[in-house]
Amino acid sequence: TITVIPQYCEDFYAQDIADAELKSRFAGSFNILFAGNISPAQDLQNLARAMAQLKQQGVENIRCLIVGDGMSREELEAFIEQQGVADRFVFCGQQPAADIPRWTGMADALFAGLSASENLGLTVPAKITSYFAAGRPLLVAADGEAGRVAGESGAALVSPAGDAQALAANICTLAGLPTAERAAMGEKGRQCYRTHYRRDLLLAKLRDFILM
């Protein structure tokens, strides 16, 4: 297993910052947040397909917030339009790093996806460990180590990479859980981060490996 060590400490994500303005702005919906680089590897088109399935099923009041930017943003926006779910996505643009805990703090769930790939399946992306630190339940659409670690944490509902039907079902399941159960999932993620994925722990393991 390879854990990608981010450029900054996930302790930053572990801050609980309540933002009344953001909460009010997006009130009335179950808000799924993606924060990060918009690239093919993230497979956000899978999320769009899942949202299209939910719309066809008549499921309302679920919204996806995309915080960030990247090479695939225009392509993703066009795909979302094609799927007929532009009303269910909000592109919030690049945000200062210091403001990210405000966004994760108001989200009901955090989304992490990976395209199906043998190489990507070997890694646990920093996005997932950062999401653990944020203390929110996860929706993870990924194979390999990312899916395994997320599932074993108790903090995530996991679907296979590219499986929009399974992701849509997990979205419905998570949105239907009582608030207390979702909070308990988030706390399991935060505990997993503290026990296994703090930056200082990972760097110490790397140092010990190098010095063996």
mmCIF file of all heavy atoms in Angstrom, residues 120-165:
data_model
loop_
_atom_site.group_PDB
_atom_site.id
_atom_site.type_symbol
_atom_site.label_atom_id
_atom_site.label_comp_id
_atom_site.label_asym_id
_atom_site.label_seq_id
_atom_site.Cartn_x
_atom_site.Cartn_y
_atom_site.Cartn_z
ATOM 1 N N LEU A 120 -3.549 3.339 -10.068
ATOM 2 C CA LEU A 120 -4.257 4.126 -9.060
ATOM 3 C C LEU A 120 -4.743 3.242 -7.919
ATOM 4 O O LEU A 120 -4.844 3.690 -6.776
ATOM 5 C CB LEU A 120 -5.439 4.860 -9.704
ATOM 6 C CG LEU A 120 -5.090 6.003 -10.657
ATOM 7 C CD1 LEU A 120 -6.357 6.562 -11.301
ATOM 8 C CD2 LEU A 120 -4.336 7.107 -9.928
ATOM 9 N N GLY A 121 -5.035 2.000 -8.216
ATOM 10 C CA GLY A 121 -5.528 1.087 -7.186
ATOM 11 C C GLY A 121 -4.497 0.756 -6.125
ATOM 12 O O GLY A 121 -4.840 0.211 -5.078
ATOM 13 N N LEU A 122 -3.226 1.086 -6.380
ATOM 14 C CA LEU A 122 -2.178 0.794 -5.405
ATOM 15 C C LEU A 122 -2.064 1.866 -4.329
ATOM 16 O O LEU A 122 -1.370 1.685 -3.335
ATOM 17 C CB LEU A 122 -0.825 0.673 -6.120
ATOM 18 C CG LEU A 122 -0.677 -0.478 -7.119
ATOM 19 C CD1 LEU A 122 0.648 -0.352 -7.855
ATOM 20 C CD2 LEU A 122 -0.791 -1.825 -6.422
ATOM 21 N N THR A 123 -2.723 2.998 -4.518
ATOM 22 C CA THR A 123 -2.516 4.135 -3.628
ATOM 23 C C THR A 123 -3.730 4.411 -2.747
ATOM 24 O O THR A 123 -4.857 4.069 -3.085
ATOM 25 C CB THR A 123 -2.212 5.416 -4.430
ATOM 26 O OG1 THR A 123 -3.386 5.784 -5.174
ATOM 27 C CG2 THR A 123 -1.053 5.208 -5.386
ATOM 28 N N VAL A 124 -3.448 5.049 -1.607
ATOM 29 C CA VAL A 124 -4.497 5.662 -0.793
ATOM 30 C C VAL A 124 -4.302 7.166 -0.952
ATOM 31 O O VAL A 124 -3.370 7.742 -0.394
ATOM 32 C CB VAL A 124 -4.386 5.266 0.689
ATOM 33 C CG1 VAL A 124 -5.495 5.948 1.499
ATOM 34 C CG2 VAL A 124 -4.469 3.754 0.847
ATOM 35 N N PRO A 125 -5.127 7.837 -1.743
ATOM 36 C CA PRO A 125 -4.891 9.251 -2.028
ATOM 37 C C PRO A 125 -4.960 10.124 -0.782
ATOM 38 O O PRO A 125 -5.704 9.849 0.164
ATOM 39 C CB PRO A 125 -6.045 9.610 -2.989
ATOM 40 C CG PRO A 125 -6.516 8.300 -3.524
ATOM 41 C CD PRO A 125 -6.295 7.306 -2.439
ATOM 42 N N ALA A 126 -4.176 11.189 -0.801
ATOM 43 C CA ALA A 126 -4.200 12.137 0.313
ATOM 44 C C ALA A 126 -5.586 12.727 0.500
ATOM 45 O O ALA A 126 -5.947 13.117 1.620
ATOM 46 C CB ALA A 126 -3.185 13.249 0.068
ATOM 47 N N LYS A 127 -6.382 12.799 -0.582
ATOM 48 C CA LYS A 127 -7.733 13.326 -0.449
ATOM 49 C C LYS A 127 -8.536 12.528 0.578
ATOM 50 O O LYS A 127 -9.260 13.099 1.397
ATOM 51 C CB LYS A 127 -8.444 13.307 -1.802
ATOM 52 C CG LYS A 127 -9.883 13.838 -1.737
ATOM 53 C CD LYS A 127 -10.557 13.825 -3.097
ATOM 54 C CE LYS A 127 -9.809 14.650 -4.097
ATOM 55 N NZ LYS A 127 -9.716 16.057 -3.670
ATOM 56 N N ILE A 128 -8.413 11.204 0.537
ATOM 57 C CA ILE A 128 -9.192 10.377 1.455
ATOM 58 C C ILE A 128 -8.725 10.563 2.886
ATOM 59 O O ILE A 128 -9.537 10.702 3.808
ATOM 60 C CB ILE A 128 -9.120 8.901 1.020
ATOM 61 C CG1 ILE A 128 -9.946 8.703 -0.259
ATOM 62 C CG2 ILE A 128 -9.629 7.979 2.131
ATOM 63 C CD1 ILE A 128 -9.940 7.303 -0.797
ATOM 64 N N THR A 129 -7.424 10.597 3.118
ATOM 65 C CA THR A 129 -6.955 10.783 4.480
ATOM 66 C C THR A 129 -7.281 12.186 4.992
ATOM 67 O O THR A 129 -7.572 12.372 6.179
ATOM 68 C CB THR A 129 -5.440 10.517 4.577
ATOM 69 O OG1 THR A 129 -4.724 11.402 3.710
ATOM 70 C CG2 THR A 129 -5.126 9.081 4.189
ATOM 71 N N SER A 130 -7.259 13.177 4.113
ATOM 72 C CA SER A 130 -7.664 14.522 4.513
ATOM 73 C C SER A 130 -9.148 14.560 4.849
ATOM 74 O O SER A 130 -9.565 15.210 5.811
ATOM 75 C CB SER A 130 -7.359 15.523 3.396
ATOM 76 O OG SER A 130 -5.977 15.621 3.172
ATOM 77 N N TYR A 131 -9.949 13.868 4.052
ATOM 78 C CA TYR A 131 -11.375 13.773 4.345
ATOM 79 C C TYR A 131 -11.610 13.086 5.690
ATOM 80 O O TYR A 131 -12.505 13.473 6.447
ATOM 81 C CB TYR A 131 -12.075 12.981 3.244
ATOM 82 C CG TYR A 131 -12.389 13.732 1.973
ATOM 83 C CD1 TYR A 131 -12.956 13.057 0.893
ATOM 84 C CD2 TYR A 131 -12.141 15.097 1.815
ATOM 85 C CE1 TYR A 131 -13.264 13.702 -0.293
ATOM 86 C CE2 TYR A 131 -12.445 15.753 0.645
ATOM 87 C CZ TYR A 131 -13.014 15.061 -0.406
ATOM 88 O OH TYR A 131 -13.325 15.693 -1.582
ATOM 89 N N PHE A 132 -10.830 12.046 5.979
ATOM 90 C CA PHE A 132 -10.928 11.419 7.299
ATOM 91 C C PHE A 132 -10.747 12.470 8.389
ATOM 92 O O PHE A 132 -11.507 12.536 9.358
ATOM 93 C CB PHE A 132 -9.849 10.346 7.482
ATOM 94 C CG PHE A 132 -10.109 9.036 6.791
ATOM 95 C CD1 PHE A 132 -9.068 8.140 6.583
ATOM 96 C CD2 PHE A 132 -11.377 8.676 6.373
ATOM 97 C CE1 PHE A 132 -9.280 6.924 5.958
ATOM 98 C CE2 PHE A 132 -11.607 7.455 5.752
ATOM 99 C CZ PHE A 132 -10.557 6.585 5.539
ATOM 100 N N ALA A 133 -9.712 13.289 8.234
ATOM 101 C CA ALA A 133 -9.405 14.301 9.245
ATOM 102 C C ALA A 133 -10.539 15.295 9.420
ATOM 103 O O ALA A 133 -10.748 15.832 10.508
ATOM 104 C CB ALA A 133 -8.116 15.039 8.871
ATOM 105 N N ALA A 134 -11.296 15.541 8.338
ATOM 106 C CA ALA A 134 -12.377 16.524 8.392
ATOM 107 C C ALA A 134 -13.557 16.065 9.233
ATOM 108 O O ALA A 134 -14.397 16.885 9.633
ATOM 109 C CB ALA A 134 -12.848 16.855 6.977
ATOM 110 N N GLY A 135 -13.644 14.769 9.494
ATOM 111 C CA GLY A 135 -14.698 14.289 10.379
ATOM 112 C C GLY A 135 -16.085 14.279 9.771
ATOM 113 O O GLY A 135 -17.080 14.491 10.460
ATOM 114 N N ARG A 136 -16.157 14.032 8.457
ATOM 115 C CA ARG A 136 -17.434 13.925 7.763
ATOM 116 C C ARG A 136 -17.524 12.558 7.087
ATOM 117 O O ARG A 136 -16.504 11.985 6.699
ATOM 118 C CB ARG A 136 -17.579 15.025 6.708
ATOM 119 C CG ARG A 136 -17.704 16.425 7.282
ATOM 120 C CD ARG A 136 -19.024 16.603 8.028
ATOM 121 N NE ARG A 136 -19.170 17.939 8.553
ATOM 122 C CZ ARG A 136 -18.722 18.333 9.750
ATOM 123 N NH1 ARG A 136 -18.066 17.454 10.515
ATOM 124 N NH2 ARG A 136 -18.921 19.547 10.182
ATOM 125 N N PRO A 137 -18.741 12.022 6.913
ATOM 126 C CA PRO A 137 -18.867 10.737 6.217
ATOM 127 C C PRO A 137 -18.445 10.860 4.762
ATOM 128 O O PRO A 137 -18.602 11.918 4.143
ATOM 129 C CB PRO A 137 -20.358 10.398 6.347
ATOM 130 C CG PRO A 137 -21.038 11.700 6.598
ATOM 131 C CD PRO A 137 -20.056 12.538 7.358
ATOM 132 N N LEU A 138 -17.909 9.788 4.224
ATOM 133 C CA LEU A 138 -17.383 9.785 2.867
ATOM 134 C C LEU A 138 -18.239 8.946 1.939
ATOM 135 O O LEU A 138 -18.798 7.915 2.343
ATOM 136 C CB LEU A 138 -15.955 9.218 2.842
ATOM 137 C CG LEU A 138 -14.787 10.131 3.186
ATOM 138 C CD1 LEU A 138 -14.869 10.630 4.619
ATOM 139 C CD2 LEU A 138 -13.477 9.405 2.950
ATOM 140 N N LEU A 139 -18.309 9.380 0.688
ATOM 141 C CA LEU A 139 -18.777 8.563 -0.422
ATOM 142 C C LEU A 139 -17.555 8.324 -1.300
ATOM 143 O O LEU A 139 -17.003 9.271 -1.877
ATOM 144 C CB LEU A 139 -19.866 9.283 -1.208
ATOM 145 C CG LEU A 139 -21.216 9.408 -0.500
ATOM 146 C CD1 LEU A 139 -22.029 10.534 -1.101
ATOM 147 C CD2 LEU A 139 -21.977 8.084 -0.575
ATOM 148 N N VAL A 140 -17.118 7.088 -1.385
ATOM 149 C CA VAL A 140 -15.895 6.763 -2.119
ATOM 150 C C VAL A 140 -16.251 5.823 -3.272
ATOM 151 O O VAL A 140 -16.897 4.793 -3.070
ATOM 152 C CB VAL A 140 -14.849 6.110 -1.198
ATOM 153 C CG1 VAL A 140 -13.637 5.646 -1.988
ATOM 154 C CG2 VAL A 140 -14.426 7.090 -0.108
ATOM 155 N N ALA A 141 -15.844 6.211 -4.480
ATOM 156 C CA ALA A 141 -16.041 5.379 -5.662
ATOM 157 C C ALA A 141 -14.664 5.024 -6.195
ATOM 158 O O ALA A 141 -14.083 5.766 -6.998
ATOM 159 C CB ALA A 141 -16.858 6.124 -6.705
ATOM 160 N N ALA A 142 -14.125 3.915 -5.728
ATOM 161 C CA ALA A 142 -12.739 3.567 -6.074
ATOM 162 C C ALA A 142 -12.505 2.088 -5.814
ATOM 163 O O ALA A 142 -13.123 1.491 -4.929
ATOM 164 C CB ALA A 142 -11.762 4.402 -5.257
ATOM 165 N N ASP A 143 -11.576 1.533 -6.578
ATOM 166 C CA ASP A 143 -11.145 0.151 -6.383
ATOM 167 C C ASP A 143 -9.862 0.131 -5.559
ATOM 168 O O ASP A 143 -9.343 1.166 -5.151
ATOM 169 C CB ASP A 143 -10.907 -0.519 -7.742
ATOM 170 C CG ASP A 143 -12.163 -0.566 -8.598
ATOM 171 O OD1 ASP A 143 -13.263 -0.639 -8.036
ATOM 172 O OD2 ASP A 143 -12.020 -0.529 -9.844
ATOM 173 N N GLY A 144 -9.330 -1.049 -5.356
ATOM 174 C CA GLY A 144 -8.007 -1.203 -4.758
ATOM 175 C C GLY A 144 -7.907 -0.709 -3.328
ATOM 176 O O GLY A 144 -8.866 -0.760 -2.549
ATOM 177 N N GLU A 145 -6.720 -0.206 -2.999
ATOM 178 C CA GLU A 145 -6.432 0.193 -1.630
ATOM 179 C C GLU A 145 -7.315 1.347 -1.144
ATOM 180 O O GLU A 145 -7.696 1.387 0.014
ATOM 181 C CB GLU A 145 -4.959 0.576 -1.503
ATOM 182 C CG GLU A 145 -4.005 -0.606 -1.523
ATOM 183 C CD GLU A 145 -4.293 -1.559 -0.378
ATOM 184 O OE1 GLU A 145 -4.070 -1.188 0.783
ATOM 185 O OE2 GLU A 145 -4.759 -2.681 -0.648
ATOM 186 N N ALA A 146 -7.619 2.281 -2.029
ATOM 187 C CA ALA A 146 -8.461 3.411 -1.624
ATOM 188 C C ALA A 146 -9.819 2.927 -1.151
ATOM 189 O O ALA A 146 -10.308 3.338 -0.087
ATOM 190 C CB ALA A 146 -8.617 4.393 -2.781
ATOM 191 N N GLY A 147 -10.433 2.039 -1.930
ATOM 192 C CA GLY A 147 -11.727 1.509 -1.533
ATOM 193 C C GLY A 147 -11.643 0.653 -0.280
ATOM 194 O O GLY A 147 -12.511 0.723 0.595
ATOM 195 N N ARG A 148 -10.589 -0.154 -0.197
ATOM 196 C CA ARG A 148 -10.443 -1.032 0.970
ATOM 197 C C ARG A 148 -10.276 -0.221 2.246
ATOM 198 O O ARG A 148 -10.965 -0.467 3.243
ATOM 199 C CB ARG A 148 -9.238 -1.957 0.787
ATOM 200 C CG ARG A 148 -9.030 -2.929 1.958
ATOM 201 C CD ARG A 148 -7.719 -3.677 1.836
ATOM 202 N NE ARG A 148 -6.569 -2.808 1.985
ATOM 203 C CZ ARG A 148 -6.097 -2.374 3.158
ATOM 204 N NH1 ARG A 148 -6.703 -2.714 4.291
ATOM 205 N NH2 ARG A 148 -5.029 -1.600 3.201
ATOM 206 N N VAL A 149 -9.356 0.731 2.240
ATOM 207 C CA VAL A 149 -9.092 1.528 3.431
ATOM 208 C C VAL A 149 -10.325 2.332 3.833
ATOM 209 O O VAL A 149 -10.677 2.409 5.017
ATOM 210 C CB VAL A 149 -7.885 2.464 3.187
ATOM 211 C CG1 VAL A 149 -7.779 3.530 4.266
ATOM 212 C CG2 VAL A 149 -6.603 1.642 3.140
ATOM 213 N N ALA A 150 -10.995 2.929 2.850
ATOM 214 C CA ALA A 150 -12.191 3.710 3.160
ATOM 215 C C ALA A 150 -13.274 2.830 3.771
ATOM 216 O O ALA A 150 -13.915 3.209 4.762
ATOM 217 C CB ALA A 150 -12.705 4.400 1.901
ATOM 218 N N GLY A 151 -13.470 1.645 3.204
ATOM 219 C CA GLY A 151 -14.494 0.750 3.729
ATOM 220 C C GLY A 151 -14.186 0.249 5.118
ATOM 221 O O GLY A 151 -15.072 0.195 5.984
ATOM 222 N N GLU A 152 -12.929 -0.100 5.358
ATOM 223 C CA GLU A 152 -12.554 -0.631 6.669
ATOM 224 C C GLU A 152 -12.582 0.434 7.761
ATOM 225 O O GLU A 152 -12.679 0.107 8.940
ATOM 226 C CB GLU A 152 -11.166 -1.269 6.593
ATOM 227 C CG GLU A 152 -11.139 -2.555 5.774
ATOM 228 C CD GLU A 152 -9.751 -3.173 5.701
ATOM 229 O OE1 GLU A 152 -8.791 -2.562 6.240
ATOM 230 O OE2 GLU A 152 -9.618 -4.257 5.097
ATOM 231 N N SER A 153 -12.521 1.696 7.375
ATOM 232 C CA SER A 153 -12.525 2.771 8.374
ATOM 233 C C SER A 153 -13.864 2.910 9.084
ATOM 234 O O SER A 153 -13.936 3.432 10.197
ATOM 235 C CB SER A 153 -12.185 4.109 7.693
ATOM 236 O OG SER A 153 -13.282 4.560 6.901
ATOM 237 N N GLY A 154 -14.929 2.482 8.442
ATOM 238 C CA GLY A 154 -16.263 2.692 8.994
ATOM 239 C C GLY A 154 -16.801 4.091 8.731
ATOM 240 O O GLY A 154 -17.906 4.422 9.147
ATOM 241 N N ALA A 155 -16.019 4.898 8.027
ATOM 242 C CA ALA A 155 -16.401 6.294 7.769
ATOM 243 C C ALA A 155 -17.006 6.487 6.392
ATOM 244 O O ALA A 155 -17.437 7.601 6.073
ATOM 245 C CB ALA A 155 -15.182 7.194 7.908
ATOM 246 N N ALA A 156 -17.040 5.448 5.570
ATOM 247 C CA ALA A 156 -17.397 5.632 4.166
ATOM 248 C C ALA A 156 -18.346 4.550 3.678
ATOM 249 O O ALA A 156 -18.320 3.408 4.139
ATOM 250 C CB ALA A 156 -16.129 5.627 3.309
ATOM 251 N N LEU A 157 -19.151 4.937 2.697
ATOM 252 C CA LEU A 157 -19.861 3.978 1.859
ATOM 253 C C LEU A 157 -19.085 3.912 0.552
ATOM 254 O O LEU A 157 -18.829 4.942 -0.081
ATOM 255 C CB LEU A 157 -21.302 4.425 1.617
ATOM 256 C CG LEU A 157 -22.198 4.522 2.863
ATOM 257 C CD1 LEU A 157 -23.637 4.882 2.456
ATOM 258 C CD2 LEU A 157 -22.180 3.234 3.669
ATOM 259 N N VAL A 158 -18.718 2.705 0.142
ATOM 260 C CA VAL A 158 -17.793 2.523 -0.974
ATOM 261 C C VAL A 158 -18.499 1.811 -2.124
ATOM 262 O O VAL A 158 -19.233 0.835 -1.916
ATOM 263 C CB VAL A 158 -16.561 1.709 -0.521
ATOM 264 C CG1 VAL A 158 -15.598 1.507 -1.685
ATOM 265 C CG2 VAL A 158 -15.861 2.407 0.640
ATOM 266 N N SER A 159 -18.260 2.298 -3.327
ATOM 267 C CA SER A 159 -18.750 1.656 -4.540
ATOM 268 C C SER A 159 -17.575 1.452 -5.493
ATOM 269 O O SER A 159 -16.568 2.151 -5.407
ATOM 270 C CB SER A 159 -19.838 2.508 -5.205
ATOM 271 O OG SER A 159 -19.375 3.818 -5.464
ATOM 272 N N PRO A 160 -17.705 0.500 -6.416
ATOM 273 C CA PRO A 160 -16.597 0.269 -7.361
ATOM 274 C C PRO A 160 -16.371 1.481 -8.260
ATOM 275 O O PRO A 160 -17.289 2.253 -8.540
ATOM 276 C CB PRO A 160 -17.081 -0.938 -8.175
ATOM 277 C CG PRO A 160 -18.114 -1.602 -7.320
ATOM 278 C CD PRO A 160 -18.785 -0.491 -6.573
ATOM 279 N N ALA A 161 -15.162 1.620 -8.727
ATOM 280 C CA ALA A 161 -14.827 2.707 -9.653
ATOM 281 C C ALA A 161 -15.726 2.638 -10.880
ATOM 282 O O ALA A 161 -15.917 1.571 -11.471
ATOM 283 C CB ALA A 161 -13.358 2.608 -10.067
ATOM 284 N N GLY A 162 -16.309 3.774 -11.239
ATOM 285 C CA GLY A 162 -17.104 3.864 -12.449
ATOM 286 C C GLY A 162 -18.500 3.293 -12.375
ATOM 287 O O GLY A 162 -19.246 3.353 -13.359
ATOM 288 N N ASP A 163 -18.901 2.773 -11.232
ATOM 289 C CA ASP A 163 -20.221 2.149 -11.091
ATOM 290 C C ASP A 163 -21.216 3.194 -10.586
ATOM 291 O O ASP A 163 -21.406 3.373 -9.377
ATOM 292 C CB ASP A 163 -20.141 0.968 -10.124
ATOM 293 C CG ASP A 163 -21.412 0.120 -10.105
ATOM 294 O OD1 ASP A 163 -22.492 0.669 -10.427
ATOM 295 O OD2 ASP A 163 -21.329 -1.063 -9.751
ATOM 296 N N ALA A 164 -21.866 3.897 -11.527
ATOM 297 C CA ALA A 164 -22.772 4.987 -11.164
ATOM 298 C C ALA A 164 -23.999 4.482 -10.412
ATOM 299 O O ALA A 164 -24.511 5.166 -9.516
ATOM 300 C CB ALA A 164 -23.188 5.750 -12.413
ATOM 301 N N GLN A 165 -24.471 3.298 -10.772
ATOM 302 C CA GLN A 165 -25.658 2.760 -10.102
ATOM 303 C C GLN A 165 -25.372 2.494 -8.627
ATOM 304 O O GLN A 165 -26.176 2.838 -7.751
ATOM 305 C CB GLN A 165 -26.121 1.479 -10.793
ATOM 306 C CG GLN A 165 -27.400 0.893 -10.198
ATOM 307 C CD GLN A 165 -27.912 -0.305 -10.996
ATOM 308 O OE1 GLN A 165 -27.383 -0.623 -12.066
ATOM 309 N NE2 GLN A 165 -28.940 -0.954 -10.496
#
